[in-house]
Amino acid sequence: MYLRDCSTSGTVMAPQGKKETLKQEMRDASMMAITGRRDLALKYLKELEVDKYDQMRPTLDAFIAIVEQINPDVNLPVRGKREQEEDGISMAYMEKGAPLCVYVSGTGSMASEKLVEAYSYGRGYSIAFASNESRKLYRQPNLTALEAAGERMIDSIRTVIKENEPSDVTVVGGSRYGLFAGAVAAELNADKLLLASPMTYLASDDLIPAYSTLGRELVGRMRKMLPERWQDLKVVLKDWATTSHLHVLYSVHKAIDVGHSTRLESLPNTTMHPNDTWREHDTMPLLMSTGLLPQVVLEKVPAQAS
């Protein structure tokens, strides 16, 4: 996501420099927006020089749209990274009986999770984050340890559900954590699953040319680390989708996102959301700027015949 730490070394070429500058501008604005200075954040963003970012203008416009939707009364405490690392399943706020959004991701930045929390505040649903636990999955020494950690994460979410009795449950995830989000939704029999630019399978090589060198290395590691039963969302969700609702959002400008996402369109009760304005792979900005996140979480899914 754009809120990650983006360190560089050596000489930075001009286009990349602009992109890194924009990320820093948005990081600064996000901290304003979540700590009681939303209007200042908007002023800051809207006064940026348009020609400074040329082709990145859609990214900036989308971020402005996110900040505009944040409640101006939000003022969230900001904690250090060490505190964040020690968390398990964290609950931003919980209202018993309200729809529950379970955010499964691996955000490397505390601010990005806080931005989701600020954006969701006051919209009529509860929100719990499994992002820290998700990130830990990739740190396990072997497949057996990873599978056990995944089961512990799912059990922790079950406890949250049992204690708060939500009217329905929506699991949200994207990118490489789309695989985890799908597994969580199926294991919990969640009512809805919302995926943004998800990685949907690891078994085939047909999309490998679209990956960067780093991406190819990641896929190689994931094939070794993930249990085989989690490696293809189309298989994982086949039975789950017959009684639940799947939403898939992706950019039509990213071949790799189109390839992964469209694999799922043949599943029952699936709604595809191709987006022709967003040109980045970033997942949560896409969900929030389009308004799809609260729309899906608050969606009423008709009871399915058993």
Side-chain angles (χ1 to χ4, degrees):
M1 286 182 70
Y2 50 64
L3 295 173
R4 288 181 305 201
D5 289 334
C6 301
S7 60
T8 57
S9 59
T11 302
V12 178
M13 299 300 289
Q16 181 67 18
K18 286 183 180 180
K19 190 171 185 179
E20 297 307 313
T21 299
L22 178 57
K23 288 180 178 180
Q24 185 58 56
E25 304 278 18
M26 292 192 295
R27 279 196 293 268
D28 294 344
S30 72
M31 293 306 295
M32 295 179 198
I34 69 177
T35 54
R37 297 169 290 164
R38 189 206 68 168
D39 292 342
L40 180 62
L42 284 173
K43 183 174 184 294
Y44 175 80
L45 290 167
K46 291 178 178 179
E47 289 181 353
L48 293 176
E49 299 173 30
V50 176
D51 60 354
K52 183 179 181 181
Y53 299 107
D54 45 62
Q55 296 301 314
M56 291 177 282
R57 185 69 214 194
T59 301
L60 180 57
D61 287 343
F63 191 76
I64 290 173
I66 293 170
V67 175
E68 285 177 333
Q69 296 178 72
I70 292 177
N71 189 316
D73 294 329
V74 167
N75 190 348
L76 302 178
V78 177
R79 300 169 303 149
K81 187 174 182 180
R82 182 178 297 278
E83 293 174 283
Q84 181 195 15
E85 290 288 338
E86 293 172 353
D87 281 348
I89 306 301
S90 59
M91 293 172 285
Y93 39 87
M94 196 65 56
E95 180 181 346
K96 195 164 186 175
L100 171 63
C101 172
V102 179
Y103 177 59
V104 178
S105 188
T107 54
S109 168
M110 166 273 303
S112 59
E113 186 173 285
K114 286 294 184 181
L115 190 66
V116 177
E117 179 180 348
Y119 173 89
S120 298
Y121 179 81
R123 292 182 181 268
Y125 58 85
S126 303
I127 186 164
F129 294 98
S131 51
N132 297 321
E133 291 298 296
S134 303
R135 193 166 62 253
K136 291 175 186 177
L137 294 180
Y138 282 111
R139 300 174 181 170
Q140 301 303 318
N142 53 52
L143 187 151
T144 301
L146 184 146
E147 193 163 13
E151 293 295 342
R152 288 195 298 273
M153 180 180 73
I154 291 169
D155 285 343
S156 296
I157 299 171
R158 281 198 182 100
T159 299
V160 170
I161 292 172
K162 182 177 180 180
E163 292 176 350
N164 293 279
E165 302 176 347
S167 57
D168 61 58
V169 176
T170 301
V171 177
V172 178
S175 192
R176 60 175 165 160
Y177 291 92
L179 289 166
F180 288 137
V184 169
E187 289 284 340
L188 296 176
N189 195 27
D191 300 278
K192 292 159 287 186
L193 171 62
L194 174 55
L195 298 173
S197 305
M199 178 181 284
T200 62
Y201 69 131
L202 298 174
S204 175
D205 290 328
D206 62 339
L207 283 176
I208 289 296
Y211 284 102
S212 63
T213 300
L214 183 61
R216 294 189 191 106
E217 292 174 356
L218 172 65
V219 170
R221 291 199 304 272
M222 290 179 70
R223 283 176 174 171
K224 295 177 182 178
M225 288 294 294
L226 286 183
E228 188 173 347
R229 64 190 177 93
W230 287 359
Q231 291 194 17
D232 189 341
L233 274 188
K234 196 170 182 179
V235 176
V236 170
L237 299 176
K238 181 180 178 181
D239 292 333
W240 171 87
T242 62
T243 58
S244 304
H245 197 171
L246 169 64
H247 290 266
V248 184
L249 177 63
Y250 61 96
S251 168
V252 300
H253 300 289
K254 291 286 186 181
I256 194 166
D257 292 341
V258 173
H260 274 285
S261 297
T262 55
R263 291 186 66 251
L264 304 180
E265 62 185 343
S266 62
L267 290 171
N269 299 313
T270 295
T271 303
M272 305 299 291
H273 301 272
N275 184 282
D276 63 359
T277 58
W278 188 255
R279 294 179 177 273
E280 302 292 331
H281 175 71
D282 298 340
T283 56
M284 288 312 293
L286 180 54
L287 283 175
M288 293 189 289
S289 64
T290 59
L292 194 61
L293 178 62
Q295 176 186 325
V296 171
V297 173
L298 295 174
E299 171 191 58
K300 299 297 182 183
V301 178
Q304 302 286 338
S306 58

